Amino acid sequence: MGIFYTHIDIAFNLLMILLVVVVLFREIKHIPWKLWQEPGVFSAWCASLIVLTLVWRMRVHVQADMHLHLLGVAMLALMFGRTLASFGAALAVIAYTGEYGGLWLNLGTNIMLLGIFPCFLSDLILGKTQQYLPQHMFVYLFGNGFFGAFFVNAATGLFAITTHCLLLPANPVSSDAFAYMLLLAWGEAFLVGFLITIFVVYKPAWVFTFDDQIYLRGK
C-alpha cells in the first residue's frame, strides 16, 4: 500500500524523511534491550522482517503503483512492541525498496505509511485496552489480537489510500479499493488473532506486549 514507484513532491518526501528520522531517533531510548536479548528473540525479529517484506510482495494490483496486500505490522507491533516494530518495519521498507527497485526518495513516506503510523496506533490501542478493559488474557487476545489488529490494518489502509489520492490526484483510486481493503483487513485480523494466540501459549518470549503480571497473575 506504499508509494514505491511514482514520483511525488520532493519537498513532501524530504519532510517525511526528516520526520521519520526524528521519530526513530527518539524511539532508541525505548528499545527493550533486556527482552531483545532473550534466547531466540533476535532471530525471530529478523525472520519477521524477511516475512514482512515477502508478504508485501504478495499483492493484488489495483492500478499504477496502487496494490492491496496483507500489512503484517499489527502482528509485528504486538510481538515486539512499538519501538522494535517501528525499526523493523522501517528496515523492511528499505529492503523492499532496494530489492524491488523502488524510489529511494519515497522512503520517508513509505516508512510513515507502512511502519510508524500502524505501530504507534497499535501501541495506542494496547494502552487503551489495558486502561479501560478488564486485565484478562482473552481481552488481550480478542481486544488486541483480533479487533485491535483489524482497526490498525483498516486505519492504515484508509490512510495509505487517502494519501495516494492526495499526493497523486492524476491517478484517482477506484472506490472499490476501499471496500476490498477493508475485507482484506478483516481477513488479516483473523490471522493475527490466531497467530498471536499460538505465540502467547508456545512462545511467550516473542510477545513483548503480553505481560504475565497483568493478564495471568491471580486469575
Side-chain angles (χ1 to χ4, degrees):
M1 297 180 194
I3 305 174
F4 286 96
Y5 305 106
T6 304
H7 292 279
I8 56 180
D9 185 70
I10 295 179
F12 181 83
N13 272 330
L14 294 178
L15 177 62
M16 286 297 102
I17 291 173
L18 178 61
L19 181 59
V20 164
V21 170
V22 170
V23 171
L24 293 180
F25 182 78
R26 291 173 63 89
E27 284 294 289
I28 291 176
K29 62 182 178 182
H30 299 299
I31 294 177
W33 298 108
K34 185 177 180 180
L35 293 174
W36 206 22
Q37 292 170 358
E38 291 291 326
V41 172
F42 179 72
S43 297
W45 182 75
C46 292
S48 298
L49 307 191
I50 297 172
V51 171
L52 194 63
T53 306
L54 296 175
V55 162
W56 291 347
R57 191 60 179 176
M58 294 186 291
R59 57 193 186 174
V60 176
H61 178 75
V62 177
Q63 62 182 57
D65 207 10
M66 183 67 217
H67 304 87
L68 296 180
H69 54 77
L70 296 176
L71 185 62
V73 182
M75 182 71 187
L76 192 69
L78 285 175
M79 288 180 64
F80 301 107
R82 183 191 74 199
T83 300
L84 287 178
S86 297
F87 279 102
L91 290 175
V93 171
I94 293 172
Y96 188 98
T97 302
E99 179 66 22
Y100 300 111
L103 296 173
W104 291 106
L105 271 178
N106 292 9
L107 203 59
T109 302
N110 289 321
I111 291 175
M112 183 60 67
L113 290 176
L114 298 175
I116 291 177
F117 176 79
C119 289
F120 274 72
L121 183 58
S122 178
D123 185 66
L124 175 64
I125 293 173
L126 177 66
K128 294 302 180 181
T129 57
Q130 291 176 342
Q131 182 178 359
Y132 294 108
L133 297 180
Q135 295 178 345
H136 193 278
M137 178 176 179
F138 288 102
V139 172
Y140 173 84
L141 295 177
F142 286 99
N144 295 284
F146 177 75
F147 291 105
F150 170 73
F151 187 81
V152 170
N153 293 330
T156 302
L158 291 173
F159 182 42
I161 295 176
T162 302
T163 301
H164 190 283
C165 293
L166 294 175
L167 295 179
L168 304 172
N171 298 322
V173 178
S174 170
S175 58
D176 291 341
F178 290 92
Y180 290 131
M181 181 276 302
L182 291 175
L183 287 174
L184 189 63
W186 181 257
E188 185 174 352
F190 278 96
L191 181 60
V192 173
F194 174 72
L195 291 176
I196 205 68
T197 301
I198 291 177
F199 290 154
V200 163
V201 174
Y202 294 104
K203 290 291 183 180
W206 292 3
V207 188
F208 290 10
T209 60
F210 184 82
D211 190 340
D212 293 354
Q213 299 296 326
I214 294 177
Y215 296 108
L216 295 178
R217 183 59 59 89
K219 301 297 190 293

